[in-house]
Amino acid sequence: MFQQEPKIIDAKIRNDVSKNATIVTPRLRSVFHCPDETYLGFFSRQWSSICDALGVSGVNSKAACLQAVSLMDPWGWNKIGVKPRYRSYVSQDGFPFELSISWHGGEPEIRILFESQGPEPTALSSLQASQALTRRLASIPDVDVNLDGCLAIEPLFITNGRVGDHHPIWHSLAWRPGTKPHYKVYFGPPVQTANFEESTVRSAMSILGLAEAWAPISERYAILSAQGHRIEFFALDLQDQDHGRAKVYFRHSPMPRENLCALAAFAHHYDPLRFGRILTNVYQHQCIVSNEPMTCLAFRRGKDAAVESNLYLRLSNVVPSDAHAAQIIASILADEGADADAYMHMLTKVAPRPLEQTTGLQELLSYRTLSADRPADVGVYLRFAMYE
């Protein structure tokens, strides 16, 4: 999902006037070191710390955690080790999962995104394990999913069965207090080429009954791609197709800051003034954004255009430390009615070192407006760098 970065980054930001780019000098990445811990042991510990710090721990949070554990059985009982057994594209260093928090109406939702690991350390073995998990979801007690749309489009992403041509498959679980967990499936970029064809998305949207809504982007995609807006991966809520969303994620190549919202503008409820303020908060005076942020467009049946746009701003190589990133995020959370103090407390529970000493724990900040008179949804994606 994310480009590879050097393990030593960030310390002092200065403006390179000639290039309008941010230049950084080294600061230690926020690296966790627990090779003898299992994937599931580490996940459960971090999930519990996040829920406790955000004030949402209890029976329901433990049940959601146990449900996630069941999804990563049996491979999750393997030790993390000193290098990735199979290099997953979910994280920069090959670690196979990430945790994130999203605030909607000020209330937090805790999520995990992961790539299943197969018995062999290969892309094909991982793919087969992921396909098996998709089908197993329907038989797990208390898991409420609808696989019709997913199984209908899956063959589009498993091209001819050739190793390297297929798209990796990831899954996510998201839990909000007072609700059951809900699930999503992701189709990543092709293993061999990393070149996600628009025609594949067009076919998937047609199968899902979303061809009309996708058409405005499809018709302009050659131009958008040439401008640096390229499809990165495709996701689908595992709900009935009348209520679930299909989501298309785009990665942005280096470009002027004012061009970053070209795709977000296709969606209903896009608010250019609020999006512009977020860009200024993160990028300050930087004119060219070169650390590959992303945009997600969400689509629902019965709508003639994208219903939501979510902007993902990458904080690495932009801020001098995790402490600086935390200040930016806390300010935005407070503006949108979320508990910024609880967020800061949560960081102290999950960080491996003082935030002033590291960078990279808070990899992405997401921002989505749903109406002019409601708080925006804000998300933070935590990166657990394991391998130096």
Side-chain angles (χ1 to χ4, degrees):
M1 188 189 306
F2 303 103
Q3 84 278 9
Q4 299 298 311
E5 296 178 356
K7 69 179 180 182
I8 300 294
I9 55 177
D10 262 353
K12 178 183 176 184
I13 295 180
R14 63 182 175 83
N15 191 39
D16 183 336
V17 178
S18 64
K19 295 183 180 180
N20 285 317
T22 295
I23 305 299
V24 297
T25 55
R27 178 180 293 272
L28 186 66
R29 268 188 69 192
S30 183
V31 177
F32 294 75
H33 186 70
C34 41
D36 294 326
E37 191 167 16
T38 65
Y39 294 110
L40 287 175
F42 179 81
F43 158 72
S44 299
R45 180 162 57 87
Q46 297 292 8
W47 179 279
S48 177
S49 294
I50 290 169
C51 291
D52 287 348
L54 296 180
V56 295
S57 61
V59 174
N60 287 338
S61 71
K62 292 179 174 63
C65 180
L66 289 173
Q67 207 163 91
V69 166
S70 73
L71 304 184
M72 293 184 279
D73 181 54
W75 64 267
W77 299 109
N78 293 329
K79 290 183 178 181
I80 291 169
V82 296
K83 62 180 181 180
R85 178 175 174 271
Y86 162 67
R87 194 176 189 87
S88 173
Y89 196 50
V90 167
S91 297
Q92 297 149 335
D93 65 348
F95 194 62
F97 67 76
E98 69 176 17
L99 289 169
S100 61
I101 307 101
S102 175
W103 287 264
H104 177 77
E107 297 300 318
E109 176 182 81
I110 297 88
R111 308 175 296 190
I112 179 172
L113 169 72
F114 63 92
E115 181 174 11
S116 294
Q117 309 288 284
E120 301 297 327
T122 65
L124 183 59
S125 185
S126 178
L127 171 69
Q128 292 169 344
S130 296
Q131 288 180 286
L133 174 59
T134 297
R135 289 149 180 81
R136 183 161 65 91
L137 279 170
S139 63
I140 298 176
D142 295 324
V143 170
D144 185 14
V145 295
N146 185 304
L147 301 181
D148 293 347
C150 175
L151 297 181
I153 66 173
E154 185 187 78
L156 296 172
F157 301 93
I158 315 300
T159 53
N160 301 318
R162 294 192 299 266
V163 176
D165 285 354
H166 67 267
H167 299 244
I169 297 175
W170 312 321
H171 294 86
S172 71
L173 174 150
W175 171 77
R176 189 182 303 277
T179 68
K180 283 187 175 183
H182 57 272
Y183 301 86
K184 203 182 280 99
V185 65
Y186 295 75
F187 299 94
V191 171
Q192 196 79 324
T193 65
N195 183 23
F196 209 125
E197 299 292 341
E198 186 275 332
S199 59
T200 304
V201 174
R202 193 184 331 131
S203 297
M205 290 300 216
S206 179
I207 291 171
L208 296 171
L210 297 167
E212 181 183 359
W214 178 250
I217 296 153
S218 179
E219 292 164 359
R220 296 169 177 80
Y221 186 70
I223 296 173
L224 290 166
S225 179
Q227 293 172 342
H229 311 285
R230 296 184 177 87
I231 297 170
E232 180 76 358
F233 52 98
F234 184 93
L236 188 67
D237 290 334
L238 295 180
Q239 300 175 341
D240 68 88
Q241 294 179 48
D242 288 333
H243 297 94
R245 300 164 299 171
K247 304 178 78 174
V248 185
Y249 294 76
F250 301 79
R251 184 187 292 267
H252 306 296
S253 299
M255 65 181 58
R257 191 170 76 186
E258 60 269 20
N259 294 348
L260 281 180
C261 291
L263 280 158
F266 279 92
H268 295 306
H269 308 307
Y270 165 64
D271 188 326
L273 292 179
R274 293 167 78 184
F275 272 69
R277 285 197 295 269
I278 295 301
L279 289 173
T280 299
N281 285 345
V282 173
Y283 294 116
Q284 298 294 313
H285 303 296
Q286 188 175 339
C287 299
I288 303 297
V289 177
S290 58
N291 68 346
E292 298 190 318
M294 301 176 72
T295 294
C296 172
L297 295 179
F299 301 82
R300 294 184 189 273
R301 272 192 174 181
K303 304 296 183 181
D304 60 359
V307 293
E308 302 168 2
S309 59
N310 209 335
L311 189 62
Y312 296 79
L313 303 180
R314 203 176 301 279
L315 298 172
S316 53
N317 290 331
V318 173
V319 296
S321 69
D322 277 314
H324 190 115
Q327 291 171 2
I328 292 173
I329 293 167
S331 175
I332 294 169
L333 288 173
D335 288 345
E336 302 299 339
D339 189 340
D341 290 337
Y343 175 72
M344 298 295 285
H345 178 56
M346 181 272 292
L347 288 176
T348 67
K349 297 297 184 182
V350 301
R353 297 181 179 87
L355 298 177
E356 294 79 9
Q357 298 177 10
T358 64
T359 189
L361 174 62
Q362 302 154 100
E363 174 69 13
L364 287 169
L365 165 71
S366 68
Y367 189 82
R368 172 176 60 195
T369 54
L370 298 175
S371 73
D373 56 356
R374 288 171 56 188
D377 289 355
V378 180
V380 179
Y381 292 73
L382 302 175
R383 189 55 36 78
F384 302 114
M386 287 289 174
Y387 309 112
E388 299 189 56

